[in-house]
Amino acid sequence: AEADVLLSVANIESAYGPIKAIRGVSLKVRKGEIGTVLGSNGAGKSTILKTISGVLDPTRGTVMFKGADITGKDPAEIVRGGLAHVPEGREVFPLLSVRDNLLMGAYTRHDKDGVARDMEQVYTYFPILRERQAQDAGLLSGGQQQMLSISRALMAQPDLILLDEPSLGLSPKLTKEIFEIVVRINRERGTTILLVEQNANMALNAADYGYVLENGRIVMEDRCEVLREKEDIREFYLGMK
Ligand code: ATP
């Protein structure tokens, strides 16, 4: 039923000046699930996430989160409401230590013990971050910065994490590791996740429900196990015949 829908996007359109990047997108993510939006370079995936997290105001349509209309709200307010965005390209604070980056993610919280517990937990997900906790984040490798960026989002104790292209610039091995942890976070913490990816293979294996975006429009949606078997998906997104 509608009751278990955590995020509901209806008919959103967003533009960069005269360029319409998304043209009437609707999608839902249910509580506890991993949702994914697949699409090639420039299809509009990042624009969808930016519109949900309030970075970009849509020219039409609505974004509902936990039953409330958050369309056009201030991004900081949206984060406080329980929605964290891990943007493409990570965007860690390069001159702050790994530990201070994590604390930045928790800046809205006042429960010191809870923050300490969550920091311990992210260090169990990504032990390399514990080893590097005193180092400047700018010195981390790309994969480690991705880990830090996901961890910083977790420090806000979000109900929903928007994950933009976690595989970008990572080796297949590291991509696999990151996806395994993302699934683990979902299973262990119950955090709902919406991830957008060009790497359809990884995304379809990790997620429960998927949407296919082409030229700013959703052209297909289904449970990921069904999408994986579809002829056009296999051909165009998985490179199989
Ligand atoms: P990518 O993986 O390359 O980020 P994407 O599917 O996330 O692709 P978007 O970044 O959402 O795609 O871009 C959708 C469209 O909007 C593209 O045509 C892109 O060129 C355009 N676009 C994105 N950002 C801007 C911007 N800041 N100014 C102008 N046009 C933009």
Side-chain angles (χ1 to χ4, degrees), residues 9-16 19-27 37-49 51 59-60 211-220 237:
V9 170
N11 279 313
I12 51 167
E13 293 183 5
S14 292
Y16 301 97
I19 304 163
K20 277 195 185 173
I22 51 175
R23 308 152 181 266
V25 164
S26 300
L27 62 85
V37 177
L38 308 176
S40 45
N41 202 336
K45 303 181 299 298
S46 301
T47 305
I48 293 179
L49 297 193
T51 307
T59 48
R60 278 190 61 183
Y211 296 85
V212 179
L213 187 72
E214 281 175 11
N215 277 318
R217 288 196 178 84
I218 304 284
V219 294
M220 205 187 290
Y237 292 96

Side-chain angles (χ1 to χ4, degrees), residues 84-86 102 105 148-158 161-162:
H85 184 181
V86 179
L102 292 174
L148 179 57
S149 188
I150 294 170
S151 298
R152 190 179 62 196
L154 280 176
M155 293 300 294
Q157 286 196 312
I161 296 183
L162 306 178

